[in-house]
Amino acid sequence: MADDDRNSTRTLDGLNDSRQALLDLLDGLRRTLYLYAPVVRAELYNDGEVLAAIRNRVVGQPKLRLHLLLPPARDWRNACPGLVRLGERLTTALILRTPNRHEQLPDRPELGQAFAIADERALLHFGDPLRLLGVYEPTPTPRMKELLGLFHELWNRSQADPDLRWLGI
């Protein structure tokens, strides 16, 4: 893919576009990834190339941190064994949490969407996370800053996933 394509806003229509955008996002990652997904699509989050990219980033940059806010693991762990194994191995770098089950979430349409923010500068946003329809914006935008604020609000109220505690994650 040409550098111009990697550095321009792209519309995402399905798995192939989404996988490539996520790989581009991970390729440019230097410090921190924030990911919120109300639905975990195994085709994307358990993809061997995506998992290898995460693993390689962490090995190459030990101070890298990935904050994943996902639904309860019981909803996705059988479909995503690679992600579970990665969480077991990278416990310092890969932090998996779930929204607090006992707390009312804010009533915001964004909670039905998925997004990943790399280094507070690049945004991968799925308006429709089931069909993987969205946009990749490799440069900072006001929307990215708004979603980052929402992520921090949710993260601060989240908890370690009880379904993963037995794995030490």
Side-chain angles (χ1 to χ4, degrees):
M1 179 172 288
D3 277 346
D4 287 345
D5 292 340
R6 289 184 127 169
N7 295 319
S8 61
T9 298
R10 288 183 272 162
T11 300
L12 308 175
D13 185 12
L15 180 60
N16 291 335
D17 290 348
S18 299
R19 180 186 301 118
Q20 188 57 56
L22 182 55
L23 290 169
D24 290 346
L25 185 85
L26 292 168
D27 186 51
L29 183 61
R30 299 292 173 251
R31 294 178 312 277
T32 308
L33 176 77
Y34 305 99
L35 184 137
Y36 169 79
V39 175
V40 178
R41 288 281 311 268
E43 301 89 342
L44 183 62
Y45 299 110
N46 201 57
D47 178 79
E49 199 174 348
V50 169
L51 295 174
I54 292 170
R55 188 172 30 258
N56 293 339
R57 285 320 248 165
V58 171
V59 168
Q61 295 173 269
K63 292 187 179 189
L64 191 82
R65 294 295 174 262
L66 299 105
H67 301 267
L68 279 60
L69 190 53
L70 304 174
R74 69 176 176 273
D75 297 346
W76 56 265
R77 71 175 174 228
N78 291 335
C80 297
L83 182 58
V84 172
R85 278 192 304 278
L86 201 60
E88 288 175 301
R89 292 182 181 133
L90 305 176
T91 55
T92 302
L94 182 63
I95 307 159
L96 293 166
R97 298 187 79 172
T98 190
N100 189 329
R101 298 176 191 181
H102 305 292
E103 191 173 308
Q104 181 70 26
L105 293 175
D107 185 22
R108 300 201 35 189
E110 294 91 346
L111 295 179
Q113 303 169 7
F115 55 90
I117 299 169
D119 299 327
E120 300 183 19
R121 63 169 180 73
L123 171 66
L124 175 60
H125 181 225
F126 296 111
D128 184 343
L130 287 174
R131 296 188 304 159
L132 297 173
L133 303 177
V135 66
Y136 172 60
E137 298 176 289
T139 57
T141 64
R143 180 74 174 142
M144 183 216 61
K145 291 177 183 172
E146 180 183 324
L147 290 171
L148 183 61
L150 175 62
F151 181 89
H152 287 304
E153 178 184 343
L154 295 171
W155 185 264
N156 291 336
R157 298 163 61 181
S158 68
Q159 61 187 12
D161 192 323
D163 297 319
L164 293 177
R165 279 194 195 128
W166 64 276
L167 293 172
I169 298 176

